[in-house]
Amino acid sequence: MLKLWKVVRPARQLELHRLILLLIAFSLGSMGFLAYYVSTSPKAKEPLPLPLGDCSSGGAAGPGPVRPPVPPRPPRPPETVRTEPVVLVFVESAYSQLGQEIVAILESSRFRYSTELAPGRGDMPTLTDHTRGRYVLVIYENLLKYVNLDAWSRELLDRYCVEYGVGIIGFFRAHEHSLLSAQLKGFPLFLHSNLGLQDYQVNPSAPLLHLTRPSRLEPGPLPGDDWTIFQSNHSTYEPVLLASLRPAEPPMPAPVPRRTRLPTVIQDLGLHDGIQRVLFGHGLSFWLHKLVFVDAVAYLTGKRLCLDLDRYILVDIDDIFVGKEGTRMKVADVEALLTTQNKLRTLVPNFTFNLGFSGKFYHTGTEEEDAGDDMLLKHRREFWWFPHMWSHMQPHLFHNRSVLADQMRLNKQFALEHGIPTDLGYAVAPHHSGVYPIHTQLYEAWKSVWGIQVTSTEEYPHLRPARYRRGFIHNGIMVLPRQTCGLFTHTIFYNEYPGGSRELDRSIRGGELFLTVLLNPISIFMTHLSNYGNDRLGLYTFESLVRFLQCWTRLRLQTLPPVPLAQKYFELFPQERSPLWQNPCDDKRHKDIWSKEKTCDRLPKFLIVGPQKTGTTAIHFFLSLHPAVTSSFPSPSTFEEIQFFNGPNYHKGIDWYMDFFPVPSNASTDFLFEKSATYFDSEVVPRRGAALLPRAKIITVLTNPADRAYSWYQVISASSQAPLALRSLQNRCLVPGYYSTHLQRWLTYYPSGQLLIVDGQELRTNPAASMESIQKFLGITPFLNYTRTLRFDEEKGFWCQGLEGGKTRCLGKSKGRRYPDMDTESRLFLTDFFRNHNLDLSKLLSRLGQPVPSWLREELQHSSLG
Ligand code: A3P
């Protein structure tokens, strides 16, 4: 028996080994299979949920309860408005998260604001300007900083709020050391902190509700367990948002019964101390707080900072016919597109998908996908269409306008052959190429081939942050900002959504996508063909978004075709009509879609900005004698100056401007410059200059404004039939002499280190010294010795270029004219006229640490005697 066992055992052991090996192999194999299956068939892992259902089935209320009898606060009549429409935000630090979230919402809503670090003792910023209030609303990122203000500051702020009808928004954010229960200092209000809450609801009786639609109970936990609730018996407090304690929470101190719904946001109606407030028991990370916050701003500012209820949505589907095989739409996808479009039309009247096509790729999918192409064309009349370039090429790659136009004609021919409508006046360039930065050829070709009036881009002024995107009009084409909805060419499966499918749902349900529509009256969304095949994420996203918006907001969703939509946009934002050009090389994305034939080195390194009649032509002339310095080519139409930044020329774009400059032979040493003496006192030039030439140096020449005016006077009086109105001439003559006013404007946009003030008197009497300081300031090499280059011309009475044989080359007759000295009466008048401006200038110069020009010193001495 034992022997037998011995024989059997090795045999059995062998089998056992085999069995184990087999088992391992099997489990490895099935693991591999599983891994493969899971990674290649994402749909099998988690099915795409149905778009959010009706509000009633989703938990939130449908149309919402009827408005309660509490009357909303009436907007203040304009004559009683005594405050600037600016929000004062007290932040904890420049980087604090909540502070940034507050600012982001104000910026997205295009509301003006000013941030201050929440003051310590006695650091309250100035709240009034003469009799006008500087702020319409005060926001405290940390409510405790407000209640713990020192008595003096608190009194000051509260008195300001009462007197000017200004409200306060405050956030209370519990941290681990917060007292669990405490009274808010000075208020009949108790706070209970560090709570976990669930099942929230908006109180339909809260007077502040405007965009927010009051909800039925929304079941589920509120994120985090650091919530604060407010409790009071005073009638001034009205709950806005209510929630219940989570079952695991310890009971509240009496007399709060566990089941009561507790306010986490309350509205103080001002019955306690005459100041209206809205207090939040958490930050803005909970999506509903953002919505309520927007309403709180509107309510407390008497609807002065308030978004209208109308929202226009346009969904572009780019890349029609362009998608790769296997990612395109099939017949069933087109049917689904039509079904969803019809469903959406019940919520957004006339909603129509806007299809952007590239005809060259028609019928380049699988057989089923080609049938999808045909299905789209069969139903072409049910969609809006726009051209997206024949071969989906980037327009900036076409330097030759007619070649670009030929490409467009091919796409147009395709449209005509297939009955696609061609009259919507809208086009989109692949990859935003040529729209911004401007490729003039694209605008011209669009207009000539298609009669385009509207386009859209994400790139103006930059892709990020999205809330800064704006529109502009160039060459008759209205450019609208475009929003991304989080769906890109490669996001085609729900389960493979970057960061997980919950990210997409979060964006829809109160996250980024929801906020985009909430805060922008007009949203044009970019999606792609591939988002409508596969998991049809485009349909899922927009149906869910629209339903969610309808559940929680009172927004009136609607749509318009591109041209009326663009007209609406610039009606709402007329200030955006004029663009603000920037340097295409300062943004990598912009550089990538800018013609390789263009170079940013053709922009000036410094500007001589004026004012006129101070010696700017002399500096221009002297600098041109320098071998490393190159001036712009003269403009025939504007007295030799380009005058780009201040006049209608600005709208011609930067290509036009750059054509005035030679391509530098050696970009690092060549100093290109431009002189336009009317830049100095222009309202718009410093901002425009700093946008395009942020690193440029600015040179200004200041002489005694009285002498400047007298020099002007010689021009006026010399012309017997002055064609312009005397008043405007007088202004040209006097207003540029308000030196400090204009300099302050330049200093708003340029750091003081980039600004040089040349003493015009020294330039006249000792130009070599002035030119030396200009060269040092610009860092020009080689250093030119102007003592040797210039020579005083006795006959002209001015410094000129010294030529061989004792000759000179001077400025023309109109510069450095001979005329009698100013009479005493005129001088006294002008000195008096400029007295305060000159005083301001001396203060500004001493603040900047800049030397005081000799003429100013003399002038100040005279005026102090006078
Ligand atoms: P007048 O012609 O009234 O004397 P601008 O070029 O900015 O319009 O300024 C013209 C003024 O520059 C002249 O005004 C003159 O006073 C001054 N200027 C300074 N240096 C000069 C120079 N070397 N040659 C001619 N004018 C000079």
Side-chain angles (χ1 to χ4, degrees), residues 255-406:
V256 186
R258 168 170 279 287
R259 285 179 147 197
T260 317
R261 269 185 297 117
L262 308 160
T264 71
V265 180
I266 49 160
Q267 179 168 0
D268 175 347
L269 301 173
L271 307 177
H272 168 61
D273 59 3
I275 301 173
Q276 302 208 45
R277 299 180 184 84
V278 177
L279 308 180
F280 289 77
H282 206 269
L284 283 175
S285 52
F286 179 45
W287 76 270
L288 193 49
H289 274 196
K290 293 196 179 91
L291 181 56
V292 171
F293 173 74
V294 173
D295 278 355
V297 172
Y299 184 83
L300 292 177
T301 59
K303 296 231 167 127
R304 284 175 72 204
L305 300 186
C306 175
L307 300 168
D308 193 64
L309 290 173
D310 291 319
R311 292 292 177 282
Y312 295 85
I313 299 178
L314 180 66
V315 179
D316 285 357
I317 309 182
D318 289 9
D319 300 352
I320 293 292
F321 309 131
V322 179
K324 265 197 307 199
E325 252 190 33
T327 65
R328 300 161 64 116
M329 291 170 80
K330 299 175 186 152
V331 169
D333 298 321
V334 180
E335 283 165 356
L337 183 71
L338 285 161
T339 310
T340 305
Q341 179 166 282
N342 283 334
K343 261 198 266 172
L344 283 171
R345 281 180 178 172
T346 62
L347 305 166
V348 185
N350 298 326
F351 180 85
T352 306
F353 283 108
N354 195 24
L355 273 46
F357 63 99
S358 298
K360 187 181 173 191
F361 300 99
Y362 169 63
H363 272 187
T364 53
T366 62
E367 219 166 277
E368 278 178 294
E369 290 169 341
D370 288 353
D373 287 359
D374 291 332
M375 185 75 171
L376 277 174
L377 289 178
K378 187 174 156 205
H379 292 278
R380 61 192 177 275
R381 298 267 158 215
E382 288 166 65
F383 303 113
W384 293 332
W385 292 82
F386 65 90
H388 200 37
M389 289 292 283
W390 161 249
S391 59
H392 203 251
M393 279 284 275
Q394 301 191 348
H396 78 274
L397 301 174
F398 295 84
H399 199 70
N400 185 323
R401 199 194 104 181
S402 58
V403 180
L404 186 60
D406 287 347

Side-chain angles (χ1 to χ4, degrees), residues 398-531:
F398 295 84
H399 199 70
N400 185 323
R401 199 194 104 181
S402 58
V403 180
L404 186 60
D406 287 347
Q407 283 272 316
M408 289 183 187
R409 268 185 216 105
L410 288 172
N411 217 22
K412 187 159 184 190
Q413 190 57 36
F414 173 86
L416 293 171
E417 277 163 17
H418 292 87
I420 294 174
T422 55
D423 55 355
L424 274 146
Y426 178 66
V428 170
H431 306 112
H432 312 275
S433 146
V435 176
Y436 192 79
I438 302 282
H439 191 54
T440 316
Q441 295 90 324
L442 171 66
Y443 283 70
E444 292 294 338
W446 260 346
K447 287 209 302 193
S448 68
V449 178
W450 284 98
I452 293 305
Q453 299 173 55
V454 184
T455 183
S456 60
T457 184
E458 295 171 349
E459 296 293 340
Y460 177 76
H462 297 286
L463 180 72
R464 291 199 181 84
R467 65 177 180 278
Y468 291 166
R469 288 182 207 160
R470 295 288 181 264
F472 65 93
I473 303 178
H474 176 64
N475 200 355
I477 294 185
M478 295 177 274
V479 183
L480 296 181
R482 211 161 146 80
Q483 308 297 339
T484 19
C485 60
L487 300 181
F488 303 94
T489 334
H490 302 297
T491 33
I492 56 179
F493 294 117
Y494 183 65
N495 293 329
E496 287 181 5
Y497 191 82
S501 56
R502 288 187 59 190
E503 282 303 313
L504 176 61
D505 287 327
R506 206 173 291 152
S507 173
I508 297 167
R509 293 158 194 244
E512 200 173 321
L513 189 50
F514 169 82
L515 282 175
T516 301
V517 177
L518 181 74
L519 301 175
N520 285 294
I522 292 175
S523 298
I524 302 183
F525 287 106
M526 184 174 72
T527 62
H528 309 269
L529 173 78
S530 51
N531 306 134

Side-chain angles (χ1 to χ4, degrees), residues 610-618 621-622 675 677 707 710-712 714 760 763-765 767 796 798-800 810-819:
Q612 290 167 297
K613 302 281 164 258
T614 56
T616 53
T617 317
F621 174 53
F622 296 161
K675 179 214 103 166
D707 292 333
Y710 189 54
S711 167
W712 246 111
Q714 298 302 319
L763 177 71
R764 214 177 143 147
T765 53
K796 173 91 180 167
F798 281 93
W799 287 83
C800 303
C810 301
L811 293 187
K813 273 197 193 125
S814 63
K815 303 287 166 188
R817 295 153 300 162
R818 289 182 185 271
Y819 39 81

Side-chain angles (χ1 to χ4, degrees), residues 787-855:
T787 325
R788 274 188 239 134
T789 312
L790 304 179
R791 187 173 311 143
F792 190 77
D793 184 311
E794 295 292 346
E795 203 177 316
K796 173 91 180 167
F798 281 93
W799 287 83
C800 303
Q801 181 188 9
L803 301 176
E804 277 176 26
K807 291 191 182 147
T808 55
R809 198 167 131 233
C810 301
L811 293 187
K813 273 197 193 125
S814 63
K815 303 287 166 188
R817 295 153 300 162
R818 289 182 185 271
Y819 39 81
D821 285 347
M822 205 186 314
D823 61 85
T824 322
E825 202 183 329
S826 305
R827 179 154 303 273
L828 279 176
F829 167 78
L830 288 170
T831 299
D832 191 49
F833 184 85
F834 287 115
R835 176 173 290 128
N836 287 338
H837 296 287
N838 284 339
L839 262 173
D840 286 348
L841 176 65
S842 72
K843 284 184 206 152
L844 177 67
L845 292 176
S846 88
R847 217 173 48 237
L848 295 175
Q850 294 243 20
V852 177
S854 46
W855 62 262

